[in-house]
């Protein structure tokens, strides 16, 4: 069985629709998301409708929690805060119920777990080798059967393998077969707001039987969502995380 892993859609329904069409052309049986389905971009209702229409299960991200008032928005930069307060005004009760129903983690068969960032913490950013080694230990204490953790939040696609010898290896986004001895963290990148300078929507496909992982990029017309955002006074593009300027990125560093 092959899984498509989507993360950080961020209310970009055009990017999500393009990814779902691409997934549809592949031999994929299950699609899951890693949270941050809303925030930043300004098509949250259409995005939630697509997720419900396709019955895509997933977990909650920090922006999802901020949008329903379960996490303070002050950890976010000014652009992110503005987008969250705009999002709060447009979500219906049933949209909020959907976001509130998202679990913190989602266990999949085959020793796989989905979280937004880390177990029990959708805000912390996993960066260093030490963090990944510690998180692997935490996850194995949580469930000794786990072998793979799908994690989003940073908007950067990558594979991190924590070897049986404790050595942590970062593997850039490529098509690979996972080390059967390693504990693997897979970040599929962001559907709606990649932060690697490539505006194409990102996602990953994983087959737990063969342990083959592939990272995918999908081109779509990003101008429509940018126009919508600008019309609503939110200067965010799908390429760099904010307005594209370094200053804006620094001010808006909360993933
Ligand atoms: Zn995010």
């Amino acid at each position: 069985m092959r899984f498509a892993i989507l993360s950080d859609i961020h209310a970009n329904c055009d990017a999500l629709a393009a990814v779902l069409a691409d997934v549809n052309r592949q031999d994929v049986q299950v699609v899951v998301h890693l949270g941050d389905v809303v925030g930043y971009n300004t098509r949250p209702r259409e995005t939630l409708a697509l997720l419900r229409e396709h019955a895509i299960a997933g977990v909650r991200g920090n922006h999802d929690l901020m949008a329903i008032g379960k996490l303070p928005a002050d950890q976010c930069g000014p652009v992110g805060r503005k987008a969250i307060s705009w999002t709060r005004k447009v979500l219906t009760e049933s949209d909020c119920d959907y976001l509130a129903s998202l679990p913190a983690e989602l266990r999949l068969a085959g020793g796989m777990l989905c979280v937004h960032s880390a177990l029990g913490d959708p805000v912390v950013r996993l960066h260093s080798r030490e963090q990944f080694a510690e998180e692997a230990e935490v996850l194995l204490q949580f469930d000794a059967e786990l072998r793979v953790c799908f994690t989003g939040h940073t908007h950067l696609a990558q594979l991190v393998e924590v070897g049986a010898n404790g050595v942590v290896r970062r593997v850039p986004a490529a098509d690979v077969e996972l080390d059967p001895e390693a504990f693997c963290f897979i970040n599929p990148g962001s559907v709606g707001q990649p932060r690697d300078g490539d505006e194409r929507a990102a996602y990953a496909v994983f087959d737990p039987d063969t342990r083959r992982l592939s990272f995918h990029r999908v081109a779509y017309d990003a101008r429509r969502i940018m126009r919508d955002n600008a019309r609503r006074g939110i200067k965010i593009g799908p390429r760099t995380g904010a307005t594209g300027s370094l200053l804006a990125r620094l001010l808006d560093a909360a993933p």
Side-chain angles (χ1 to χ4, degrees):
M1 186 181 278
R2 297 175 87 224
F3 292 76
I5 316 297
L6 282 48
S7 191
D8 296 276
I9 299 162
H10 281 299
N12 187 340
C13 62
D14 292 345
L16 175 60
V19 164
L20 292 176
D22 199 65
V23 166
N24 209 26
R25 287 190 284 272
Q26 302 196 43
D27 181 23
V28 164
Q29 287 72 45
V30 182
V31 183
V32 294
H33 73 77
L34 306 181
D36 273 9
V37 293
V38 299
Y40 290 133
N41 294 294
T42 54
R43 289 210 167 248
R45 301 216 52 225
E46 296 86 341
T47 301
L48 294 175
L50 265 178
L51 290 173
R52 280 183 284 208
E53 181 190 327
H54 291 266
I56 298 171
V59 297
R60 61 194 185 212
N62 50 324
H63 283 254
D64 306 323
L65 291 169
M66 289 191 281
I68 55 170
K70 293 270 168 67
L71 195 67
D74 58 6
Q75 49 118 356
C76 198
V79 180
R81 277 203 300 275
K82 193 170 181 186
I84 285 294
S85 85
W86 179 88
T87 302
R88 278 187 186 169
K89 286 183 207 133
V90 301
L91 291 180
T92 64
E93 203 178 321
S94 96
D95 294 331
C96 292
D97 288 347
Y98 170 84
L99 291 176
S101 74
L102 293 172
E105 70 268 338
L106 177 66
R107 179 71 155 85
L108 303 173
M112 305 187 290
L113 189 77
C114 298
V115 293
H116 182 61
S117 181
L119 186 67
D121 188 344
V123 177
V124 68
R125 304 188 71 169
L126 296 182
H127 272 310
S128 69
R129 287 178 160 77
E130 293 74 26
Q131 280 178 306
F132 280 106
E134 276 172 28
E135 186 64 15
E137 275 181 34
V138 168
L139 288 163
L140 285 168
Q141 276 166 20
F142 173 72
D143 183 340
E145 303 293 312
L146 289 178
R147 288 295 170 268
V148 171
C149 176
F150 296 111
T151 171
H153 194 48
T154 64
H155 298 207
L156 298 170
Q158 71 170 350
L159 162 66
V160 174
E161 293 183 334
V162 182
N165 54 3
V167 173
V168 179
R169 204 166 71 94
R170 273 175 213 281
V171 185
D175 292 4
V176 285
E177 190 175 320
L178 303 193
D179 175 353
E181 302 298 320
F183 189 100
C184 298
F185 291 89
I186 296 167
N187 189 326
S190 168
V191 170
Q193 200 197 59
R195 298 225 172 115
D196 57 359
D198 179 347
E199 73 176 18
R200 292 177 302 162
Y203 75 100
V205 172
F206 182 61
D207 183 338
D209 299 324
T210 62
R211 295 181 68 81
R212 281 218 74 84
L213 169 70
S214 54
F215 291 94
H216 302 259
R217 298 306 283 253
V218 186
Y220 70 101
D221 184 357
R223 285 172 296 189
R224 191 168 85 122
I225 190 75
M226 289 185 76
R227 270 200 310 271
D228 286 349
N229 294 345
R231 204 177 296 138
R232 285 146 185 169
I234 294 162
K235 290 183 183 164
I236 282 186
R239 190 190 313 213
T240 51
T243 61
S245 77
L246 180 62
L247 177 64
R249 289 177 70 184
L250 290 172
L251 287 171
D252 211 56

